[in-house]
Amino acid sequence: MSLRKGANTPVQSARVRVEFGWRQGPGVPDVDVSALLLTAAGKVRSDDDFVFYNQPVHPSGAVRHEGRRQDGGGAVETIDVALSAVEQDIGTVVVAASTEGTFGQVPGLFVRVLDAVSGAETARFDATDATTETAFVLGELYRRNGAWKFRAVGQGYDSGLAGLATDFGISVDEPAPPVPSPVSLPRPAAPAPLASPSPPPPVSVPAQPVSLSKITLTKTAPSVSLTKQGATSGGMRVNLSWSARRPPRGWMRKGEEAVRLEDVDLDLSCLWELRNGATGIVHPINNQFGSFEQPPYVQLDQDDRTGTSDTGENLMINLDHAAEIKRLLVFVVIYAGASSFAGLHGVATLYPPVGPPIEMLLDECTVPSQVAAIALIENNGGELIVRREAKYLLPPPGIFKQQAADLEYGWGLTWQGASKD
């Protein structure tokens, strides 16, 4: 059902996918989609009620940012909402978007609501009057007399995502002001020694504001220094997530090679090399999950075989031992369920302990590849550099999928057949 601005329609589904799409092309700025869970007062209860690229899953699990996929000449970002699981004190789920350009530069804007099971379209709203806005509320799901409805909103903001989020009660992390140059002052006389004071009482730490920044590595900007961002210690999480949800007809393609997305099993993996010459691999095969506290200082948290886990699969890298790491290759393998990455829409995100997340999209495969090199992390003279790879590898006959990554990057491991439990 196509809606005009301000119109509404009932939503009968217990779970929906809200899709926000636009046409891509030269000069079209990037778009990021988000959701805000509001009470009857029209505000969030806390920053946890903001679901976006840096905070993709609501604590209740009812609202999830499922990432982006390519759709012909356009892009679509999806918010999954389990309406039956939305907490009772939440009356509205707002679906919004932001861009670093203006929405007048973004053609073909639309939002639509689909039944998450059948794929049937419940409502659609096409926004045609955008001009200088840098943020947009396209639509909202809201409760009325115990039932859910969807309203086409079409309200723009000139203050970007930060302004929109602030209007709804989010505490946004402002960029730090420039640090003043040091001033040389006369050195004061040393004070007389004092008795050791007693420890101060514990201080409650206020909740940190939401950070809206992120780094997307692309062909034109393929690398970033973790060291220059200050990420030199602590744990860095590498997350792989993908949508294994069935399209409306249930298949990626028709015919004998049709693939059911809910059967796809992707394995996040890491080839590692330490400065002492030790090498190896971390992956789910033979339960080689690695170790965070011991070499190789890389650990895989789980094997998500269906894509249904809220957090996907995660590698944890211990940056306290960065000096011992020579290089790490993060890659992903289709273990089962699909013959190629073409049509699979994954997102790999690095979450350093300091600085913004680093995002890489897996949506450019044009060959029948089941092995994708995501990122290479190298220790160059004490500086950790992350480089986007986005290479889709074709293993020669008789070569294991994981071995193809080894051969491409010269790891030199010895391989033998194995499988999961």
Side-chain angles (χ1 to χ4, degrees), residues 82-170:
L83 294 172
S84 58
V86 174
E87 296 151 303
Q88 286 301 311
D89 52 344
I90 294 297
T92 305
V93 179
V94 168
V95 179
S98 60
T99 179
E100 294 185 359
T102 69
F103 277 102
Q105 301 171 292
V106 182
L109 286 173
F110 72 86
V111 63
R112 64 176 187 155
V113 179
L114 307 175
D115 183 279
V117 177
S118 69
E121 184 177 286
T122 299
R124 178 184 176 112
F125 170 54
D126 292 270
T128 58
D129 58 352
T131 55
T132 62
E133 300 88 351
T134 54
F136 233 91
V137 174
L138 264 291
E140 61 184 16
L141 295 158
Y142 65 99
R143 295 185 203 261
R144 187 67 79 240
N145 298 324
W148 285 95
K149 291 187 173 185
F150 175 78
R151 177 184 291 117
V153 178
Q155 177 184 351
Y157 291 74
D158 290 330
S159 50
L161 181 58
L164 182 150
T166 302
D167 273 2
F168 288 113
I170 298 292

Side-chain angles (χ1 to χ4, degrees), residues 91-393:
T92 305
V93 179
V94 168
V95 179
S98 60
T99 179
E100 294 185 359
T102 69
F103 277 102
Q105 301 171 292
V106 182
L109 286 173
F110 72 86
V111 63
R112 64 176 187 155
V113 179
L114 307 175
D115 183 279
V117 177
S118 69
E121 184 177 286
T122 299
R124 178 184 176 112
F125 170 54
D126 292 270
T128 58
D129 58 352
T131 55
T132 62
E133 300 88 351
T134 54
F136 233 91
V137 174
L138 264 291
E140 61 184 16
L141 295 158
Y142 65 99
R143 295 185 203 261
R144 187 67 79 240
N145 298 324
W148 285 95
K149 291 187 173 185
F150 175 78
R151 177 184 291 117
V153 178
Q155 177 184 351
Y157 291 74
D158 290 330
S159 50
L161 181 58
L164 182 150
T166 302
D167 273 2
F168 288 113
I170 298 292
S171 300
V172 175
D173 186 13
E174 296 293 340
V179 178
S181 301
V183 178
S184 178
L185 297 174
R187 179 173 304 198
L194 301 175
S196 299
S198 58
V203 177
S204 60
V205 179
Q208 295 299 308
V210 170
S211 173
L212 301 180
S213 60
K214 70 173 177 178
I215 296 172
T216 300
L217 299 185
T218 64
K219 291 179 181 178
T220 56
S223 64
V224 65
S225 169
L226 293 174
T227 305
K228 289 179 179 178
Q229 288 194 78
T232 56
S233 63
M236 179 171 71
R237 179 166 65 97
V238 183
N239 173 261
L240 172 67
S241 62
W242 75 97
S243 175
R245 195 167 305 284
R246 183 168 55 202
R249 288 185 294 274
W251 306 94
M252 288 171 57
R253 297 184 297 274
K254 294 182 179 180
E256 294 181 357
E257 295 185 357
V259 176
R260 296 198 309 169
L261 290 180
E262 61 266 39
D263 292 339
V264 174
D265 180 6
L266 303 184
D267 285 345
L268 184 61
S269 308
C270 180
L271 286 167
W272 56 268
E273 181 178 0
L274 302 183
R275 295 180 69 84
N276 65 7
T279 57
I281 187 171
V282 171
H283 63 165
I285 308 298
N286 276 354
N287 295 320
Q288 297 181 71
F289 288 92
S291 173
F292 184 75
E293 298 294 345
Q294 303 293 329
Y297 311 114
V298 180
Q299 185 169 18
L300 179 66
D301 68 342
Q302 65 174 333
D303 179 22
D304 179 13
R305 302 192 182 191
T306 64
T308 57
S309 168
D310 285 346
T311 58
E313 292 187 7
N314 297 274
L315 284 166
M316 289 298 298
I317 300 172
N318 191 342
L319 297 182
D320 290 341
H321 295 273
E324 299 174 54
I325 296 172
K326 181 177 180 179
R327 60 175 180 157
L328 305 171
L329 177 69
V330 179
F331 67 103
V332 60
V333 169
I334 299 177
Y335 183 79
S339 59
S340 172
F341 280 99
L344 294 179
H345 308 289
V347 180
T349 308
L350 280 66
Y351 294 92
V354 176
I358 303 166
E359 178 183 84
M360 288 154 283
L361 304 181
L362 300 175
D363 58 359
E364 300 176 351
C365 183
T366 58
V367 296
S369 169
Q370 293 183 305
V371 185
I374 299 172
L376 186 64
I377 303 172
E378 293 183 293
N379 188 334
N380 293 332
E383 182 178 6
L384 279 184
I385 305 292
V386 178
R387 189 178 76 224
R388 172 187 182 268
E389 294 297 298
K391 287 185 180 179
Y392 296 92
L393 309 179

